[in-house]
Amino acid sequence: MNIILRLCLGLLTVTIVALSAANALAARTIRLGVVTMPGSAQYVCAERFQQLVAERAGDTLEVKLFHSGSLGSETDILQQVQMNAVDMAIITLGPFDTFVPEVKVISFPFLFRDHEQVDQLLDGPLGDEVLTSLERAGFKGLAFSENGFRNLTNNTRPVRTVDDVHGLKIRVMESAMHKELWKTLGANPTPMAWPIYAELQQGTIDGQENPLSVLWVYKLFEVQKYLTLTGHVYSAHIDIASLAWWKTLPQAEQELLTRAMHDAALYQRQWNRQNVAGFLDQLKGAGMQVVSDPDLASFKAQAEGLKNMNLFAEPRTRALLEKFLEATK
Ligand code: EAX
């Protein structure tokens, strides 16, 4: 054989061997989306998950994080997960209710007594029932991490009783349940995607409601004067995968990812809870005026009305609400 041809064949063989070795070594990329930025509650969970997957399967799987609105709003991310343009996501529970109505039950106002009760129910059969229900919309539900208990802030007046809410323009998540809740409490709610700093600054809205970590991380204390510790809704995140994508994974990978997300969620909930008191001190230090003991009975009495609204009329939603109300009695 001609020497040149032989050299060429040799080179080709070396290239093919090198390419297939590289292929075997290259980890497959999992695309995971959160709407919020580094340091936020969603991101802390995502980052921990990324770390755990690297430790446990770093030579086969690699998690790439998309954050800070780079994929659009939480509703946009959910749509991308449905279509498997994104593989996984950590999303605040609110926007899920337009995809699967019964998930809103977890956000029912004043449902949970404390974190212990949250963990007991969400990590038990009722939580599993919610995770499974997501499959109807093309999501594989893996675990619950959290935003935390939500509190009201506004620029108009200190809110001490539900009467003080009257007429306030409050931004709510893209969720039917949150909109209805604030209407019932007497506010004028406007659904808007996250983030909302500019709208608060410009005065398009008077207030908003979110857990303390969000007020701190997104510097909302710069554009909001009054904070009331209402704790009106426990705001979970649901940590999901695209069901279509999930079904293509070998069982061992499904198990590894489920465990990693579960561990990340437990870690993140502890992180969130340990930091609540610190965030409150920092918000006070930054000049927010805090009403720490509002008349919650007045809020609860009015929020009760939600139970009998159309929001919960759909049979599966009704049945799940009854179960959660019974379990938290
Ligand atoms: O974490 O849109 C919201 O109010 C959410 O709480 C947001 O994810 C901030």
Side-chain angles (χ1 to χ4, degrees), residues 243-255:
L243 186 61
W245 171 74
W246 188 256
K247 284 180 174 160
T248 67
L249 300 178
Q251 199 184 338
E253 276 182 10
Q254 292 181 346
E255 280 164 15

Side-chain angles (χ1 to χ4, degrees), residues 196-227:
I196 54 167
Y197 186 99
E199 288 79 358
L200 289 169
Q201 191 175 36
Q202 290 155 9
T204 326
I205 39 176
D206 303 318
Q208 64 87 48
E209 43 84 59
N210 250 304
L212 299 181
S213 74
V214 178
L215 308 185
W216 182 251
V217 173
Y218 276 89
K219 300 193 190 313
L220 296 196
F221 56 84
E222 293 176 353
V223 288
Q224 290 283 266
K225 190 158 177 199
Y226 305 108
L227 163 62

Side-chain angles (χ1 to χ4, degrees), residues 5 24 34 46-48 52-53 68 89 129 138 160 170 172 189 218-219 225 243 245 249 255 293-294 297 302:
L5 188 61
V34 298
E47 201 175 28
R48 183 70 167 191
L52 292 176
V53 172
S68 309
E129 203 175 317
R160 300 198 172 85
I170 302 292
V172 294
Y218 276 89
K219 300 193 190 313
K225 190 158 177 199
L243 186 61
W245 171 74
L249 300 178
E255 280 164 15
D293 55 349
Q302 213 140 312

Side-chain angles (χ1 to χ4, degrees), residues 35-36 42 74 92 147 150 171 173 194 209-211 214 235:
V35 76
T36 49
Q42 291 88 337
E74 292 198 303
T92 317
N147 236 2
R150 302 179 78 88
R171 173 270 176 178
M173 287 188 281
W194 191 255
E209 43 84 59
N210 250 304
V214 178
S235 194

Side-chain angles (χ1 to χ4, degrees), residues 34-81:
V34 298
V35 76
T36 49
M37 65 192 207
S40 67
Q42 291 88 337
Y43 194 91
V44 166
C45 185
E47 201 175 28
R48 183 70 167 191
F49 175 72
Q50 182 185 46
Q51 213 176 63
L52 292 176
V53 172
E55 279 167 26
R56 299 174 188 177
D59 43 358
T60 52
L61 297 171
E62 178 194 41
V63 179
K64 184 164 163 42
L65 304 183
F66 295 85
H67 57 88
S68 309
S70 61
L71 300 177
S73 69
E74 292 198 303
T75 304
D76 294 333
I77 301 175
L78 287 173
Q79 282 162 353
Q80 290 166 70
V81 173

